[in-house]
Amino acid sequence: MPRFIKALLATLVITTSCKDDKNKITVVDDETFIADEENEKLKLVFEKAQNSLDHFINEFNEHSNDTVYWFSAKTRFEHTNGINHIWLKIVDYRKDGVFIGILHNEVDWSDSFKIGDTISVNRKKIEDWYIENENTKKVQGDFTEKILFDNN
């Protein structure tokens, strides 16, 4: 299993707060952090992911059958208790712009979803992406980690 699984299991909980706290990031534990939906760094993560998504798709199309590559993408799940951002292991990309992925995170706010469920997500809803070559340990994407936590 790739080294980044622990990072991928991180759940992002979005909140709404006063203007002064909008860029604050609170780390709850190794798996959860909280940020305001207007957080400027979160907006930058989404922008970078969307602007480079064609690269992710090209790499997926070229290497999806190669077992040393791991492809994941993060998307938003809304529920009555708030918003979570969940990682999926991408297993297919369709020509109509829809990713098919397997849910990585436990979704504790919903009885409808659980780890291992297959989820469809439109490419416009992808908020971050991650590619790792397990042989070389080369990582591409992972803008959440790089931008939110300044780990370049």
Side-chain angles (χ1 to χ4, degrees):
M1 188 177 292
R3 69 165 175 79
F4 73 94
I5 288 297
K6 186 174 183 180
L8 289 183
L9 293 177
T11 301
L12 174 58
V13 179
I14 299 295
T15 62
T16 304
S17 63
C18 67
K19 186 176 180 180
D20 295 337
D21 290 337
K22 79 175 186 177
N23 291 317
K24 180 179 177 183
I25 299 167
T26 303
V27 177
V28 176
D29 56 37
D30 287 346
E31 297 181 1
T32 308
F33 62 95
I34 300 171
D36 189 278
E37 65 183 36
E38 295 299 319
N39 184 296
E40 291 172 14
K41 287 185 175 184
L42 281 179
K43 290 178 180 181
L44 184 58
V45 167
F46 180 77
E47 180 182 316
K48 282 209 173 258
Q50 281 292 307
N51 287 341
S52 58
L53 194 55
D54 285 339
H55 173 75
F56 178 84
I57 293 166
N58 291 338
E59 290 290 306
F60 180 80
N61 288 336
E62 184 175 338
H63 299 288
S64 62
N65 292 324
D66 188 338
T67 58
V68 301
Y69 283 87
W70 186 271
F71 295 89
S72 289
K74 184 170 53 174
T75 191
R76 174 185 173 122
F77 282 80
E78 293 185 42
H79 54 91
T80 56
N81 295 328
I83 299 166
N84 289 99
H85 299 259
I86 307 294
W87 285 96
L88 306 170
K89 178 183 179 194
I90 300 303
V91 296
D92 194 16
Y93 179 70
R94 301 187 326 216
K95 292 181 191 256
D96 65 353
V98 173
F99 287 97
I100 309 299
I102 299 170
L103 193 63
H104 268 304
N105 298 92
E106 192 66 54
V107 187
D108 51 338
W109 47 261
S110 173
D111 293 331
S112 302
F113 298 105
K114 62 184 181 311
I115 291 176
D117 284 352
T118 300
I119 308 290
S120 300
V121 179
N122 186 288
R123 68 175 281 152
K124 294 177 183 174
K125 302 285 186 176
I126 299 299
E127 298 180 333
D128 196 357
W129 56 262
Y130 187 103
I131 302 169
E132 182 177 354
N133 179 315
E134 293 184 45
N135 286 342
T136 65
K137 303 301 180 202
K138 181 181 177 186
V139 173
Q140 299 175 61
D142 194 18
F143 304 110
T144 301
E145 188 71 21
K146 291 174 184 170
I147 294 172
L148 254 55
F149 301 107
D150 297 321
N151 293 330
N152 294 321

